[in-house]
C-alpha cells in the first residue's frame, strides 16, 4: 500500500505556504502599514490644516449647532442666539446692537467676527479648553462644550450718555475709570446693527454690502481704530513734560516764551486763536486756560524732543501692542523731528495722532496721580453655569509722572474748566478738570477741524481718585462753532454726570 506524503514542507505535516501566498501576505501587510501611515498623517499631522480648510464645512456647521455664549454689560446680556431653521442651527442676535457695536463687534456666519466677538470667539463657541469638564470623557465623546460668557467693564449709563451725546455726528467717546483702567464707555458714530448680517441669507448679504458701500463708514471703530491729530488736548502732555523736566517749576510764574514765537529755523510765527495769548512771558496756567499755541510750542522746544516723546509714550503713544484685549490702532508721536516740528507736535499737530482711547488714558493718568493703568474692557470670563474661568485684575501700564507733577497738571486742567475754554464741562457739585482741542487737518488745513475734549471729574470735597476720565472727538459736524469747547465738552460732561450719579 502506497504512503501518502503531505504536500509542501510545513512542520509537523501541516500544509505549506506557497511562494505566491507568501508574497501576497507580505503585500497585504505592506498595504496595511501604508494605510496606517496615511491615516496617521491625515488624522495627526494634517488635522489642523484640513479642519481649517475653506472647503471643510464641518467646523462651521458645528460652530453654529448650539447657542453662542453671551457678552454682558453689568448683569444684562447684550447678545443672544436665535434658531435659523437652515443649515446652521443658530445665528447671533444683538440687544441694542448699534449701542454696543464698538465693543461687541460682530459674529457673522458669512463674514467672520471682530472685536470681543473675535478675540473671545473660542470661549463664546465652547471651543476654549478652559471650558472642558472631564478631559478623558470629552476626548472620547467629542462632545461640544456650551459657550462661555464675557462680562465687560462697561457702565450702561455712561455708554448710553456717550451715544446720545454723539447723536448723528461722526465721532467717538472713550471713558475710563482712572484707578483701575476699566473702560466705562466706548462709543463710535455713526454706528451699525451687527445683527443685520449675522446670518447667511441674501438679506444678510444685502445688509453687509450696504454697510460696506456707505460713505460715512459706520463700521469704522473711531474710538479704537482711527487716529486723529489731538490738537490742543496734547498740551496736557507737553505741560507735564515741561514740569517733569524742570523747564517750568511754577505754573503761575512768567515763562520766557516770546511773542510772537517764530518756529525755529523758519520765518513762520506760531499763531494763536485768541488775542489773550498775544503777549510775551505768559505763565503756564494762563497759557493752558487760554490754550496758547505760542507758549506751549515754545515750552515743547525747551523741553526737547526726547522729553516730549518720552512723556507721550508714558501715556500710551507709540505702543503698537496696547491690547485690552482688543488691539487699538497705534497712536503716534514722531521720534525724529527738527525743532519747528517739535513745536508743532507739542500743540498736537504735525504728525502727532491719537485714538480717543489713548487720549482718555492721558486724562486718566493725570487724574490717577501720574499712574497710568492698562485699559481693560473685560471684567471676567465664565462658563455657561457662571463659574469663573478668568477674572481680570487691574495692572499698572506705566508711571508717567510723579504725583507732584500730576497735582500741578490737575490744577491746570481744573482752571481750564473753571476759567477757560472748557467751561462747557462744568458739573455742579463736582470738581472737573479738562482740556479742549481743535485740530486742523487736510490740504492747507482745509478740512473741517476735529473738535476734542479730554477730562476727569470727581465729587466736590473728595480726596479720592476721580472715578471717571473721558476723551471725546467730533470728526465731522454740521455745527457752525466747530471747537472742542462747543461740541465735545458737553458730551464729556454728560458721560461724567452718568458715572458720578450712578
Amino acid at each position: 500500500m502506497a504512503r501518502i506524503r503531505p504536500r509542501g514542507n510545513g512542520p509537523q505535516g501541516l500544509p505549506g505556504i506557497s511562494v505566491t501566498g507568501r508574497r501576497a501576505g507580505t503585500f497585504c501587510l505592506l498595504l496595511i502599514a501604508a494605510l496606517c501611515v496615511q491615516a496617521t498623517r491625515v488624522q495627526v499631522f494634517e488635522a489642523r490644516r484640513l479642519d481649517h480648510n475653506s472647503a471643510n464645512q464641518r467646523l462651521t456647521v458645528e460652530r453654529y449647532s448650539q447657542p453662542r455664549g453671551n457678552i454682558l454689560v453689568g448683569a444684562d446680556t447684550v447678545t443672544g442666539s436665535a434658531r435659523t431653521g437652515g443649515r446652521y442651527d443658530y445665528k447671533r442676535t444683538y440687544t441694542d446692537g448699534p449701542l454696543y457695536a464698538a465693543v461687541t463687534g460682530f459674529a457673522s456666519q458669512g463674514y467672520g467676527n471682530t472685536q470681543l466677538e473675535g478675540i473671545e470667539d473660542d470661549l463664546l463657541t465652547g471651543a476654549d479648553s478652559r471650558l472642558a469638564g472631564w478631559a478623558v470623557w470629552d476626548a472620547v465623546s467629542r462632545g461640544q462644550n456650551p459657550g462661555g460668557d464675557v462680562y465687560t467693564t462697561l457702565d450702561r449709563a455712561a455708554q448710553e450718555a456717550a451715544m446720545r451725546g454723539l447723536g448723528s455726528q461722526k465721532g467717538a467717546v472713550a471713558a475710563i475709570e482712572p484707578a483701575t483702567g476699566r473702560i466705562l464707555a466706548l462709543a463710535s458714530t455713526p454706528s451699525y446693527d451687527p445683527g443685520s448680517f449675522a446670518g447667511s441669507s441674501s438679506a444678510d448679504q444685502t445688509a453687509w454690502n450696504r454697510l460696506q458701500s456707505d460713505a460715512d463708514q459706520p463700521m469704522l471703530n473711531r474710538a479704537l481704530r482711527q487716529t486723529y491729530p489731538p490738537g490742543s488736548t496734547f498740551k496736557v502732555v507737553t505741560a507735564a513734560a515741561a514740569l517733569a523736566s524742570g523747564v517750568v517749576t511754577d505754573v503761575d510764574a512768567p515763562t520766557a516764551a516770546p511773542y510772537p514765537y517764530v518756529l525755529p529755523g523758519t520765518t513762520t510765527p506760531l499763531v494763536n486763536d485768541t488775542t489773550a495769548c498775544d503777549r510775551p512771558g505768559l505763565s503756564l496756567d494762563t497759557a493752558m486756560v487760554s490754550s496758547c499755541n505760542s507758549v506751549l510750542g515754545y515750552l515743547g522746544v525747551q523741553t526737547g524732543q526726547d522729553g516730549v516723546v518720552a512723556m507721550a509714550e508714558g501715556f500710551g503713544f507709540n505702543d503698537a501692542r496696547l491690547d485690552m484685549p482688543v488691539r487699538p490702532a497705534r497712536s503716534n508721536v514722531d521720534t525724529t523731528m527738527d525743532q519747528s516740528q517739535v513745536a508743532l507736535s507739542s500743540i498736537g499737530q504735525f504728525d502727532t495722532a491719537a485714538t480717543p482711547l489713548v487720549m482718555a488714558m492721558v486724562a486718566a493718568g493725570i487724574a490717577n496721580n501720574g499712574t497710568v493703568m492698562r485699559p481693560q474692557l473685560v471684567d471676567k470670563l465664565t462658563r455657561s453655569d457662571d463659574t469663573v474661568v478668568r477674572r481680570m485684575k487691574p495692572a499698572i501700564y506705566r508711571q508717567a509722572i510723579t504725583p507732584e507733577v500730576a497735582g500741578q497738571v490737575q490744577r491746570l486742567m481744573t482752571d481750564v474748566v473753571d476759567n477757560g475754554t472748557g467751561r462747557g464741562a462744568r458739573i455742579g457739585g463736582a470738581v472737573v478738570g479738562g482740556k479742549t482741542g481743535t485740530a486742523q487737518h487736510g490740504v492747507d488745513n482745509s478740512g473741517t477741524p476735529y473738535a476734542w475734549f479730554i477730562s476727569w471729574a470727581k465729587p466736590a470735597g473728595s480726596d479720592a481718585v476721580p472715578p471717571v476720565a473721558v476723551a471725546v472727538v467730533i470728526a465731522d459736524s454740521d455745527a457752525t462753532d466747530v471747537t472742542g469747547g462747543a461740541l465735545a465738552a458737553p458730551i464729556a460732561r454728560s458721560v461724567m454726570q452718568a458715572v458720578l450719579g450712578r
Side-chain angles (χ1 to χ4, degrees):
M1 184 176 193
R3 297 177 63 187
I4 300 175
R5 297 173 58 92
R7 289 181 296 173
N9 298 315
Q12 300 179 359
L14 294 176
I17 301 175
S18 67
V19 173
T20 302
R22 287 196 299 272
R23 289 175 177 173
T26 301
F27 182 69
C28 288
L29 288 173
L30 290 173
L31 285 177
I32 292 171
L35 286 171
C36 289
V37 170
Q38 175 68 358
T40 300
R41 184 184 69 82
V42 171
Q43 296 184 31
V44 177
F45 298 103
E46 296 291 325
R48 182 174 179 81
R49 183 181 65 81
L50 294 173
D51 277 346
H52 293 85
N53 190 295
S54 60
N56 183 4
Q57 290 292 297
R58 182 182 63 81
L59 287 181
T60 305
V61 171
E62 184 179 279
R63 169 189 293 269
Y64 299 109
S65 66
Q66 65 177 12
R68 189 175 175 86
N70 283 312
I71 298 173
L72 293 90
V73 174
D76 301 324
T77 58
V78 298
T79 59
S81 296
R83 282 194 173 275
T84 65
R87 181 180 186 186
Y88 304 132
D89 293 338
Y90 291 90
K91 72 173 184 177
R92 188 51 129 184
T93 60
Y94 295 87
T95 304
D96 295 324
L99 176 62
Y100 296 107
V103 175
T104 62
F106 61 80
S108 170
Q109 293 174 352
Y111 304 104
N113 45 52
T114 59
Q115 297 293 108
L116 288 182
E117 292 277 32
I119 296 294
E120 303 296 351
D121 183 64
D122 281 353
L123 181 104
L124 293 164
T125 60
D128 194 316
S129 60
R130 293 173 295 180
L131 302 178
W134 185 33
V136 176
W137 172 249
D138 288 341
V140 172
S141 67
R142 298 181 65 87
Q144 190 174 4
N145 296 303
D149 295 330
V150 177
Y151 285 76
T152 70
T153 59
L154 293 184
D155 178 285
R156 177 183 286 273
Q159 183 73 12
E160 290 175 346
M163 289 294 286
R164 185 168 55 248
L166 289 169
S168 61
Q169 303 170 109
K170 287 183 183 177
V173 174
I176 295 174
E177 186 177 66
T180 64
R182 293 166 62 90
I183 295 174
L184 304 177
L186 200 66
S188 174
T189 54
S191 188
Y192 67 99
D193 181 5
S196 65
F197 55 90
S200 54
S201 68
S202 58
D204 292 285
Q205 183 176 354
T206 298
W208 172 266
N209 291 338
R210 184 171 58 250
L211 288 167
Q212 294 297 301
S213 61
D214 192 327
D216 288 335
Q217 295 181 282
M219 296 185 72
L220 172 63
N221 191 327
R222 292 175 168 85
L224 296 180
R225 297 302 307 165
Q226 184 70 24
T227 60
Y228 305 91
S232 292
T233 58
F234 191 82
K235 291 173 182 174
V236 171
V237 177
T238 304
L243 287 162
S245 66
V247 169
V248 175
T249 57
D250 182 350
V251 298
D252 294 313
T255 65
Y259 181 80
Y261 176 57
V262 178
L263 292 171
T266 76
T267 58
T268 304
L270 189 54
V271 298
N272 298 303
D273 293 328
T274 171
T275 56
C277 298
D278 294 350
R279 61 183 190 274
L282 294 176
S283 70
L284 178 56
D285 184 69
T286 300
M288 289 290 282
V289 167
S290 298
S291 198
C292 301
N293 294 333
S294 56
V295 177
L296 272 299
Y298 168 80
L299 292 178
V301 171
Q302 298 309 302
T303 302
Q305 172 186 278
D306 292 347
V308 173
V309 170
M311 185 60 66
E313 290 179 346
F315 289 106
F317 280 80
N318 293 345
D319 188 347
R321 302 181 64 85
L322 190 62
D323 299 348
M324 32 148 278
V326 178
R327 180 169 294 179
R330 175 183 177 273
S331 295
N332 179 74
V333 59
D334 279 7
T335 58
T336 304
M337 298 180 282
D338 61 33
Q339 288 193 324
S340 67
Q341 293 166 342
V342 171
L344 292 172
S345 289
S346 298
I347 61 170
Q349 297 284 178
F350 185 52
D351 287 338
T352 304
T355 60
L357 173 71
V358 162
M359 292 313 297
M361 290 173 65
V362 171
I366 298 298
N368 195 32
N369 300 315
T371 302
V372 184
M373 303 300 290
R374 183 168 291 279
Q376 175 183 323
L377 186 56
V378 174
D379 178 45
K380 62 181 178 179
L381 308 175
T382 70
R383 298 184 179 88
S384 59
D385 62 3
D386 214 34
T387 57
V388 176
V389 170
R390 183 184 178 191
R391 188 181 300 275
M392 311 306 174
K393 297 180 180 179
I396 294 175
Y397 175 68
R398 283 171 191 162
Q399 186 70 41
I401 47 177
T402 65
E404 292 74 21
V405 170
Q408 292 173 298
V409 181
Q410 289 170 12
R411 149 82 190 284
L412 296 174
M413 294 179 75
T414 55
D415 284 351
V416 168
V417 174
D418 290 343
N419 308 309
T421 57
R423 291 184 180 92
R426 291 174 177 172
I427 300 173
V431 176
V432 181
K435 184 67 190 78
T436 55
T438 306
Q440 305 296 326
H441 70 102
V443 178
D444 296 326
N445 295 331
S446 59
T448 302
Y450 298 130
W452 278 92
F453 192 71
I454 64 172
S455 58
W456 48 263
K458 65 179 180 178
S462 171
D463 293 328
V465 173
V468 58
V470 184
V472 179
V473 64
I474 302 299
D476 192 15
S477 174
D478 295 331
T480 55
D481 185 5
V482 184
T483 62
L487 294 182
I491 299 173
R493 179 185 62 206
S494 65
V495 174
M496 292 186 293
Q497 284 177 317
V499 176
L500 293 177
R502 180 171 51 182

